[in-house]
Amino acid sequence: MIGLISATAAGAAARDRLAAAWPDRTRVYEGPAGEAVRAAFAECDRLVCFLATGATVRLLAPLLGDKAADPGVVCVDEGGRFAVSLVGGHGGGANELAHQVAQLLGAEPVVTTATDAVGLTGLDTLGLPAEGAVAAVSRALLDGEPVALEAESAWPLPPVPFAGQGAYTVRLTDRAVRPGPREVLLRPPSLVVGVGASRGAPVEEVLGLIEEALREAGLSVRSVAELATVDAKSEEPGIVAAAGRLGVPLVTYPADELAAVAVPNPSDAPLAAVGTPSVAEAAALRTGGELLVPKRKSAASPAMATCAVVRRPGRGRLAVVGLGPGARDLLTPRAAAELRRASVLVGLDQYVDQIRDLIRPGTRVLESGLGAEEERARTAVAEARKGHAVALIGSGDAGVYAMASPALAEASDDIDVVGVPGVTAALAAGAVLGAPLGHDHVSISLSDLHTPWEVIERRVRAAAEADIVVTFYNPRSRGRDWQLPKALAVLSGHREPETPVGVVRNASRPDESARLTTLAGLDPATVDMMTVVTVGNTATRNIAGRMVTPRGYRWQHAPEGAR
């Protein structure tokens, strides 16, 4: 929850804008500022104070304890010009909150955390528990000193400029080891603990068994990702409470699924009780991975709990990112976040140039030229399979005539895939022209490099007969100059010569150009590969120089008195 505190009318107005935008995330604290700050600090994860920074510092000073536990605090000035990340930039989430508040209020985010200021990924923002000399190793990264990464298993980390070797080390491990004086330990969520329990098993027995099993195996409890058990035990109090104390989710599986998992230590007792010969081992192994701790029982007599521990491999992450039509303000915030998160970026060289300033230090860039789409798709999937966080970029929306299709055809279920939508060329061109896509519409690529012309022509003819607005992608190139005239001729057999046609080149870019013509008046020679051509249907009109396809609402055609 985000606590909102203000002391003036102007601050209250800005405060109320946040409260209205985030009704489920915020709570307004009324009354004197000092009392409000104290109450919010005790009850909320983050605070936004519409107060002067000096006043906020004085109010916060006696409340501050541990930066790992204190809430993040953002200050917004009286004029609403700046959103200042004041306390808890990383651990408390204030840096991210400052950007969010600034975007909503039209302010400038002010973040002074050193790593953020120079575009480095902070070691305490990698999404993994970090132990050891975080400040010293972060300082070494800032000073350009070599910091080595020792990863005992592959994990999709965000970009950090690691070196092959160095005096400082970041070590990715789930083993229970102590960090050295110049070392940071990162704890990946790689351990799954399968748990079985008799009815009424106390949480102390369940939790004690888990901690003992991890300790004797030399494994860190901070790398436990989840507890797993059979569906019949989904509400067993001791198991539920153990997951809560560990701060991890409880995952359950049907008995028949667990019965199908091969285990080294099956038993008749769970088979009779819940319908599977194994609960702890089978539930842990159900997620895949290596069995590190076979089934063991608690020391109580009679034993009421069992557990087993599996190390699951890290899954690579492939984000397929649409960059939009070209303008930076049409690149979505989600796409920008994925570009910052990726440790490997794969893309067409000209698209990489388009967003090169957003690439963080430590990101490995694999770029290639036109015609290498399938190679880029294979490369991106292969890098994800190595355990990396990969961003595969394409223009517009990556799923529309772009990289998502070949990449997903290459991928399997051994990696995580995230799709990030983008503004398509058809949408960008449509916004320039007016509202040509106001009713049913279809996009057709006229490139016959991958699709036989007979198939393309059949689709154009179907759209013509169905009276659907058509947007042509890849309409004409030096080597393909006859397809567009042929497609227009097919449409002309079903639409009047004066049917509006919109032609937009480089939509949203600095050299954007657009014109509105007709089906009879369009000269195909003026069209190239950077152009989108939109042909209206029989209802499309040129209204005040704008291309409009009516939606067909009944009130548009009703008599004035009937509206």
Side-chain angles (χ1 to χ4, degrees), residues 218-232:
L219 300 170
S220 171
V221 70
R222 300 190 77 185
S223 279
V224 174
E226 61 191 39
L227 298 192
T229 191
V230 66
D231 278 352

Side-chain angles (χ1 to χ4, degrees), residues 18-70:
L18 281 190
W22 300 335
D24 298 328
R25 300 175 58 193
T26 57
R27 176 181 172 185
V28 173
Y29 285 79
E30 303 280 5
E35 295 178 10
V37 167
R38 285 192 292 274
F41 195 91
E43 297 170 357
C44 296
D45 301 317
R46 289 169 291 175
L47 280 67
V48 179
C49 298
F50 295 86
L51 308 166
T53 54
T56 307
V57 167
R58 292 181 185 279
L59 293 173
L60 288 175
L63 307 176
L64 296 175
D66 184 350
K67 72 175 186 178
D70 289 341

Side-chain angles (χ1 to χ4, degrees), residues 288-310:
E290 174 191 4
L291 184 64
L292 301 181
V293 180
K295 182 182 74 173
R296 58 184 295 166
K297 298 180 179 180
S298 55
S301 182
M304 299 184 72
T306 60
C307 81
V309 183
V310 161

Side-chain angles (χ1 to χ4, degrees), residues 106-381:
E108 182 74 21
V110 179
V111 175
T112 58
T113 310
T115 50
D116 294 76
V118 297
L120 276 176
T121 305
L123 295 177
D124 50 356
T125 65
L126 295 176
L128 303 178
E131 305 170 18
V134 175
V137 176
S138 296
R139 193 160 49 246
L141 286 168
L142 287 166
D143 292 342
E145 297 187 45
V147 176
L149 173 66
E150 295 181 2
E152 296 178 4
S153 60
W155 209 265
L157 295 174
V160 179
F162 291 122
Q165 56 184 2
Y168 297 86
T169 304
V170 172
R171 187 174 174 189
L172 184 74
T173 180
D174 59 17
R175 294 191 294 121
V177 294
R178 292 181 176 274
R182 293 187 170 189
E183 185 176 56
V184 170
L185 300 182
L186 295 179
R187 300 298 191 185
S190 55
L191 304 178
V192 176
V193 180
V195 181
S198 302
R199 180 177 299 175
V203 61
E204 290 78 12
E205 182 172 345
V206 176
L207 189 59
L209 172 63
I210 294 171
E211 292 174 341
E212 180 184 19
L214 293 170
R215 183 171 56 253
E216 293 186 3
L219 300 170
S220 171
V221 70
R222 300 190 77 185
S223 279
V224 174
E226 61 191 39
L227 298 192
T229 191
V230 66
D231 278 352
K233 296 296 179 179
S234 63
E235 298 181 0
E236 184 64 41
I239 296 177
V240 173
R245 292 193 191 179
L246 291 171
V248 299
L250 175 63
V251 179
T252 66
Y253 300 100
D256 57 349
E257 285 190 22
L258 298 185
V261 178
V263 296
N265 300 293
S267 172
D268 291 335
L271 180 61
V274 294
T276 173
S278 172
V279 173
E281 285 181 339
L285 286 167
R286 175 64 177 75
T287 61
E290 174 191 4
L291 184 64
L292 301 181
V293 180
K295 182 182 74 173
R296 58 184 295 166
K297 298 180 179 180
S298 55
S301 182
M304 299 184 72
T306 60
C307 81
V309 183
V310 161
R311 175 186 286 139
R312 63 183 183 185
R315 288 173 62 87
R317 187 177 190 274
L318 173 62
V320 188
V321 181
L323 300 180
R328 177 56 59 84
D329 59 353
L330 291 182
L331 176 73
T332 67
R334 187 180 301 180
E338 287 294 345
L339 297 177
R340 291 191 295 269
R341 192 194 190 289
S343 61
V344 180
L345 187 140
V346 182
L348 179 68
D349 47 14
Q350 64 190 56
Y351 297 152
V352 173
D353 288 341
Q354 186 177 313
I355 46 87
R356 200 175 291 276
D357 61 303
L358 298 178
I359 301 173
R360 277 185 161 176
T363 302
R364 185 157 49 96
V365 179
L366 305 176
E367 53 189 307
S368 53
L370 286 168
E373 289 79 10
E374 292 182 358
E375 176 188 342
R376 283 194 292 276
R378 286 193 294 269
T379 297
V381 172

